[in-house]
Amino acid sequence: MSLLWVWVTLAAAAAQTLRFLLQRQLAGAGRGGGLSAGGATFSRFLFGAPIASLIAAGLLAAGARVAVPGAGFFGFVLLGGAAQVVATFLTVRLFSLRNFAVGVAFTKTEAVQVAILSAVLLGERVSALGWAGIGVGLLGVLLLSRPPEGFSARAMVYGVAAGGLFGLSSICYRGATLALEPAPFLARAFVTLACVTLAQSLGMALYLRLREPGELGRVLGSWRRTVWVGVTGVAGSAGWFTAFALMNAAYVRALGQVEMVFTLLASVFWLRERLSAREGAGMALVVGALLLIVAAQAGGG
């Protein structure tokens, strides 16, 4: 089962790419439109929370034993959930500043940030080969993210901030799943996911009620589209949380850079954007980085 985390991470990255495509449309940057950045962000959690809760309840009913969570678990859940909400909000805002592939690329500084945070907060370090993979991947992502007309300062700020917050949420979710040991990894993943998405749904609902009157009704009224954001969102989150329960978050998020490749392919085949030679070279670097990261973990680094 040593490489199970790899396959789970790849599946999570694919699901997240699809969710970003759907969320981009809901936010008005693609076909359809109609919701604010806050509404599009909320749609991710609203329909995902019940699904995650049902699966967690099913695992517990089937005999999975999970100790009563302590304060540390809930601290990780609340901090990670809040960081992810803000990061998702910033990512949705990015879609109106840059084309789809470039907007997502700016968030990929997360791989470096999460490796540092993982060592500081959880004491989980990355090997030299792992750092090499992260560095090569970062170069590939930077190559992918530089449009011919140059960077947008606002997009860079949003992207780097989103990457840092996504990184913080990853570390918190890893910490929360570890706090539930020695329960089975699937039970730890889904109990954590259920608690996180419930907290996020309540928090976002309160925010929209106070700051964006009427947006809650628009999200619910668009349920035929928003439900798919929730479904793909919880599918991706289930993959990430399961991977976090199995492996150091730094390796998981570094491998998750394959999402950039999926994003570019989606941009070409779905959004009809052109793939340049520079982007092709960047994709090659990202794929090479993934091989280094897997090799580093397989070698015990």
Side-chain angles (χ1 to χ4, degrees), residues 71-88:
F73 170 82
F74 288 109
F76 279 129
V77 163
L78 293 176
L79 178 58
Q84 186 183 17
V85 166
V86 178
T88 303

Side-chain angles (χ1 to χ4, degrees), residues 151-164:
F151 287 126
S152 159
R154 182 179 296 181
M156 282 198 298
V157 171
Y158 281 11
V160 172

Side-chain angles (χ1 to χ4, degrees), residues 186-197:
L186 272 180
R188 289 188 283 120
F190 276 97
V191 168
T192 302
L193 178 58
C195 291
V196 167
T197 52

Side-chain angles (χ1 to χ4, degrees), residues 264-275:
L264 282 169
L265 294 176
S267 296
V268 170
F269 293 108
W270 189 340
L271 302 179
R272 307 303 183 192
E273 296 177 357
R274 289 189 173 186
L275 183 66

Side-chain angles (χ1 to χ4, degrees), residues 92-191:
V92 172
R93 290 293 300 271
L94 273 170
F95 295 148
S96 66
L97 301 177
R98 286 289 169 194
N99 70 48
F100 176 63
V102 171
V104 174
F106 280 121
T107 69
K108 295 308 168 187
T109 54
E110 173 195 359
V112 174
Q113 297 184 66
V114 75
I116 296 171
L117 289 172
S118 183
V120 173
L121 299 178
L122 299 180
E124 295 185 328
R125 300 185 182 279
V126 174
S127 70
L129 186 58
W131 272 113
I134 291 172
V136 170
L138 180 60
L139 287 176
V141 166
L142 291 177
L143 189 60
L144 289 170
S145 65
R146 184 173 178 81
E149 67 273 20
F151 287 126
S152 159
R154 182 179 296 181
M156 282 198 298
V157 171
Y158 281 11
V160 172
L165 290 168
F166 276 131
L168 177 60
S169 69
S170 298
I171 298 304
C172 289
Y173 298 155
R174 168 70 171 167
T177 63
L178 292 177
L180 296 179
E181 288 184 329
F185 71 89
L186 272 180
R188 289 188 283 120
F190 276 97
V191 168

Side-chain angles (χ1 to χ4, degrees), residues 15 19 21 25 60 63 145 156 175 193 227 238 247 283:
R19 192 256 299 170
L21 282 167
Q25 294 174 339
L60 295 176
S145 65
M156 282 198 298
L193 178 58
V227 69
M247 179 51 57
M283 285 176 61

